[in-house]
Amino acid sequence: IAPHFYFILFVPLVHRCLSERITNNILKAEKSNFISENKLTHEYSREGKSFHQFVSDCVNQGVISRMDVENFLFESLFYGYQREVYIYQVASCNENCMKPEIFLNILQDKYEYIDDCAYSNIANMAADDEKLVAVKTIYTNDLQRIAKIQLIFKTEVSILRKGGIVKTLSYIPVDWDVNSQILSIKFSPKRHVFDKEKQPERLKIHFIDQLKEMFNIQFIPFGNIHKEALCEMSKSLYRQIYEKMVCSKPQNLDSYVEEISDGLKKVLGVEALELKATGNNIFNIKDNIQKFTENILISDILLGAKEGATLEGVEGVVTYLKFSDGKKISARLKGRECREPIFGSESYMALRSAIENARRVNRLEVVWLGKFDRLRITYEAAETECLKVHFYKNLKEEEYKYGLQMFRKFERYGNGKLIKAVEMESQAQ
């Protein structure tokens, strides 16, 4: 059933200053857009006040509505700096908790101040204690069940800086699509965190455990499925650039390679060369020369793209790859500063056979070339329970959805069959 309606209850902003501890978590561009949308750019510039003070004054004077401020805070904190995302697959939960009245009761058992299924009181909660500061729900067409849940938690994080420890606030958005059974939890990575328990990896466990307890959620572990999906993504992206190379390579190249390899065989005079090649590809002269020439052509295509040429038909390029072939080789390949493609590198050429035979990739960094301007994302499958996705730029909703969509596209089992595959693997363990 398609979700349709948002219901938000906004708690009034009391007559006091909106805390800078809150607005420090919001992008400067988002703040500027909010001022501009309210047609207050001139006043903001003239008064020279800080953003949080100016907005507080505008609310208290009735120039900006409290509802608009809460909505702005919610939307800005749900993405923005929240560039580190952990994605879980939900197997089941307490079905009754998707009824609005039961959902509210569950929230109130832990957070007694929540008085509606949809609630936002971000502006009034700048204290250090951990809180659930906002809830947003989308109902099904018949309004009898909740189809999507968005939560924002707040917690204090102490940062080591020159002069001592500074207490800051961090916001942790949770996006739970009940219908598609996907739950993601987002974090804003912070440097020099004083308490290790406030690192994203630890906070993730804390809040996931809390959600599991509240809603009786059972997750489907990825096992090795996400590693296999990343492996397929890596191979598919290489095939795209390879096919582009095939279409542009000289017509007589293959016959010339064969002629050279035959000549080398005679000159080298290695005994039982074909037999040795079956056990070690280094003896496969033709294959190695072929790969060498292809590598030159691929490198030339990638160099042209770096200088401004388009890569039509190529969705993205891999800039970091950590893999194991399950037998002899475990390796990491990375381009310069993890920004340059690895497909044309000597290391990739040397390991190409092993990469082609690999079944799992633990970490893959991709620069997507299609919809967005070189969107750089790392997919990490180190944990069996979830997929970690790291964005290298401040996040927008469309970019988050695109990054997840591309992972789903390259799943080994595809067409929505991943969950069944994971269930089979988890039962076998």
Side-chain angles (χ1 to χ4, degrees):
I1 303 175
H4 264 256
F5 300 95
Y6 285 85
F7 293 93
I8 304 293
L9 175 66
F10 294 99
V11 179
L13 177 64
V14 297
H15 288 260
R16 65 180 182 185
C17 183
L18 174 65
S19 175
E20 189 175 16
R21 301 178 79 205
I22 297 173
T23 58
N24 280 344
N25 291 276
I26 296 174
L27 299 174
K28 185 177 180 180
E30 295 289 334
K31 298 175 186 177
S32 297
N33 289 340
F34 181 69
I35 296 294
S36 177
E37 288 168 2
N38 282 277
K39 298 179 173 57
L40 293 168
T41 304
H42 177 70
E43 291 81 352
Y44 182 52
S45 177
R46 183 189 64 206
E47 294 188 19
K49 294 179 181 177
S50 60
F51 176 82
H52 66 285
Q53 182 64 64
F54 180 79
V55 170
S56 297
D57 291 347
C58 287
V59 171
N60 293 331
Q61 294 163 13
V63 177
I64 298 176
S65 73
R66 296 175 176 88
M67 181 181 293
D68 284 346
V69 172
E70 279 296 332
N71 190 52
F72 161 72
L73 293 174
F74 187 99
E75 297 299 330
S76 299
L77 292 172
F78 212 79
Y79 293 97
Y81 287 120
Q82 322 299 334
R83 296 182 285 110
E84 203 142 282
V85 186
Y86 295 86
I87 297 168
Y88 290 81
Q89 296 188 121
V90 178
S92 64
C93 66
N94 180 354
E95 286 296 323
N96 285 329
C97 73
M98 292 304 110
K99 296 176 182 178
E101 63 279 8
I102 297 177
F103 176 74
L104 178 58
N105 289 336
I106 291 171
L107 291 180
Q108 289 177 329
D109 282 345
K110 189 166 185 65
Y111 303 101
E112 66 282 352
Y113 54 86
I114 302 290
D115 53 12
D116 196 271
C117 283
Y119 171 93
S120 186
N121 193 18
I122 301 167
N124 288 336
M125 291 188 174
D128 297 339
D129 53 336
E130 183 184 304
K131 291 284 186 180
L132 174 61
V133 297
V135 181
K136 194 176 194 180
T137 52
I138 303 177
Y139 290 175
T140 54
N141 286 335
D142 59 8
L143 304 182
Q144 299 302 307
R145 296 184 64 76
I146 295 172
K148 187 170 183 177
I149 300 164
Q150 293 181 323
L151 310 171
I152 299 181
F153 292 94
K154 167 190 69 74
T155 190
E156 179 198 83
V157 177
S158 296
I159 304 295
L160 284 170
R161 291 181 182 162
K162 289 182 179 179
I165 296 174
V166 177
K167 292 184 178 181
T168 68
L169 296 179
S170 279
Y171 291 86
I172 299 95
V174 174
D175 197 355
W176 182 4
D177 191 323
V178 179
N179 289 341
S180 65
Q181 298 178 291
I182 297 294
L183 186 150
S184 65
I185 182 166
K186 307 182 182 76
F187 295 91
S188 171
K190 294 192 175 185
R191 295 181 178 179
H192 311 302
V193 175
F194 176 70
D195 185 355
K196 291 183 179 179
E197 293 300 317
K198 294 302 177 76
Q199 296 282 4
E201 293 80 5
R202 302 287 184 89
L203 284 175
K204 178 253 299 182
I205 295 171
H206 171 72
F207 286 106
I208 286 294
D209 286 346
Q210 196 174 121
L211 292 167
K212 287 167 70 175
E213 181 181 350
M214 290 170 66
F215 300 105
N216 193 25
I217 301 174
Q218 299 293 322
F219 292 111
I220 306 172
F222 279 91
N224 288 314
I225 297 298
H226 49 355
K227 293 182 175 70
E228 293 170 3
L230 295 184
C231 188
E232 179 57 31
M233 183 188 291
S234 171
K235 291 178 181 180
S236 295
L237 293 178
Y238 179 76
R239 283 196 295 269
Q240 290 176 8
I241 196 76
Y242 184 85
E243 287 168 10
K244 191 171 185 66
M245 177 275 298
V246 169
C247 293
S248 62
K249 74 177 182 178
Q251 291 183 351
N252 61 343
L253 180 61
D254 291 342
S255 59
Y256 189 65
V257 166
E258 188 164 357
E259 182 181 330
I260 293 173
S261 64
D262 288 342
L264 276 173
K265 289 176 185 178
K266 292 178 182 178
V267 172
L268 290 171
V270 177
E271 294 183 6
L273 188 65
E274 285 74 14
L275 179 62
K276 291 174 180 176
T278 60
N280 188 337
N281 198 60
I282 197 68
F283 291 101
N284 192 332
I285 295 174
K286 179 181 176 181
D287 184 62
N288 282 290
I289 296 174
Q290 186 81 38
K291 287 177 179 176
F292 177 73
T293 56
E294 290 173 351
N295 204 60
I296 292 173
L297 295 172
I298 288 173
S299 297
D300 189 51
I301 291 171
L302 293 172
L303 181 62
K306 186 179 179 181
E307 294 173 350
T310 59
L311 285 178
E312 187 176 347
V314 179
E315 293 175 293
V317 292
V318 175
T319 61
Y320 181 99
L321 173 67
K322 183 179 180 182
F323 82 101
S324 172
D325 67 356
K327 296 178 181 178
K328 299 178 180 178
I329 297 175
S330 179
R332 291 185 300 171
L333 301 175
K334 63 179 180 179
R336 183 181 301 171
E337 298 180 351
C338 291
R339 293 177 181 272
E340 300 293 329
I342 64 172
F343 293 148
S345 68
E346 292 181 41
S347 299
Y348 193 90
M349 184 179 71
L351 291 169
R352 188 167 137 188
S353 294
I355 293 170
E356 289 171 353
N357 293 325
R359 293 185 54 225
R360 297 169 185 169
V361 165
N362 294 320
R363 179 173 174 174
L364 190 71
E365 187 170 311
V366 179
V367 175
W368 296 109
L369 305 173
K371 187 175 178 181
F372 299 98
D373 182 23
R374 299 184 68 82
L375 180 63
R376 184 178 167 212
I377 301 177
T378 288
Y379 301 89
E380 191 167 329
E383 295 186 54
T384 59
E385 294 293 319
C386 62
L387 172 72
K388 179 181 177 182
V389 184
H390 180 82
F391 295 81
Y392 287 85
K393 58 182 289 189
N394 295 322
L395 192 57
K396 295 180 180 178
E397 181 178 2
E398 298 80 10
E399 293 167 340
Y400 162 71
K401 290 181 177 178
Y402 184 79
L404 181 56
Q405 170 194 328
M406 296 311 288
F407 171 77
R408 308 298 282 191
K409 176 178 180 178
F410 290 104
E411 284 171 357
R412 181 168 174 241
Y413 292 93
N415 300 321
K417 297 178 183 177
L418 177 65
I419 289 178
K420 291 182 180 179
V422 180
E423 286 175 339
M424 290 172 62
E425 179 165 315
S426 63
Q427 289 169 6
Q429 290 175 347

